[in-house]
């Protein structure tokens, strides 16, 4: 690894919810669970990528998160992942998704370092 991936490393990204992220069966345009999971995975993937060797990346291997509040299209969510455990090539992130002071989601996400 080119950097040091340690417990406590935190990555965070702000994302704007778009109409395309909404479930088609709902009358209101809100963030869908699958799109929220995609944002979580992307935040963790791109957050640790600079710490890896050139020929390495990570793949998602497990996710367990809630989806406890709605966020409307046009609003922002902040996705934060903090590494709580490093087990050789397996990384475990504590996840939080927020909109302002509202907790949208929390849980864990695991990624595995491949390549190299």
């Amino acid at each position: 690894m080119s950097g040091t991936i340690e417990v406590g490393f935190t990555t965070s990204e702000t994302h704007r919810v778009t109409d395309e992220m909404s479930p088609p069966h709902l009358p209101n345009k809100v963030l869908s669970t699958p799109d929220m999971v995609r944002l979580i995975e992307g935040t963790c993937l791109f957050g640790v990528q600079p710490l890896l060797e050139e020929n390495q990346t990570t793949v998602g291997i497990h996710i367990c998160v809630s989806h406890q509040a709605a966020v409307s299209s046009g609003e922002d969510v902040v996705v934060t992942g903090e590494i709580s455990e490093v087990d050789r090539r397996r990384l475990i992130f504590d996840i939080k998704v927020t909109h302002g002071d509202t907790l949208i989601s929390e849980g864990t996400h695991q990624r595995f370092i491949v390549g190299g």
Side-chain angles (χ1 to χ4, degrees), residues 11-104:
T11 183
S12 185
E13 287 187 15
T14 300
H15 302 275
R16 174 74 35 102
V17 177
T18 64
D19 288 355
E20 295 75 28
M21 295 176 175
S22 181
H25 65 283
L26 294 181
N28 298 326
K29 299 293 184 187
V30 294
L31 179 63
S32 72
T33 301
D35 278 289
M36 182 185 69
V37 167
R38 180 181 58 79
L39 297 177
I40 291 167
E41 287 214 57
T43 298
C44 294
L45 165 70
F46 296 117
V48 298
Q49 192 64 45
L51 302 177
L52 301 174
E53 296 292 335
E54 188 174 312
N55 60 347
Q56 292 180 322
T57 192
T58 61
V59 294
I61 59 172
H62 188 265
I63 191 158
C64 182
V65 293
S66 63
H67 192 168
Q68 53 202 55
V71 181
S72 297
S73 180
E75 296 181 323
D76 290 339
V77 292
V78 177
V79 178
T80 303
E82 180 180 345
I83 293 181
S84 60
E85 184 178 337
V86 178
D87 180 11
R88 295 171 298 229
R89 291 179 168 244
R90 184 172 58 104
L91 310 174
I92 300 176
F93 293 83
D94 288 338
I95 299 298
K96 283 197 176 163
V97 180
T98 57
H99 169 65
D101 292 334
T102 303
L103 180 64
I104 306 303

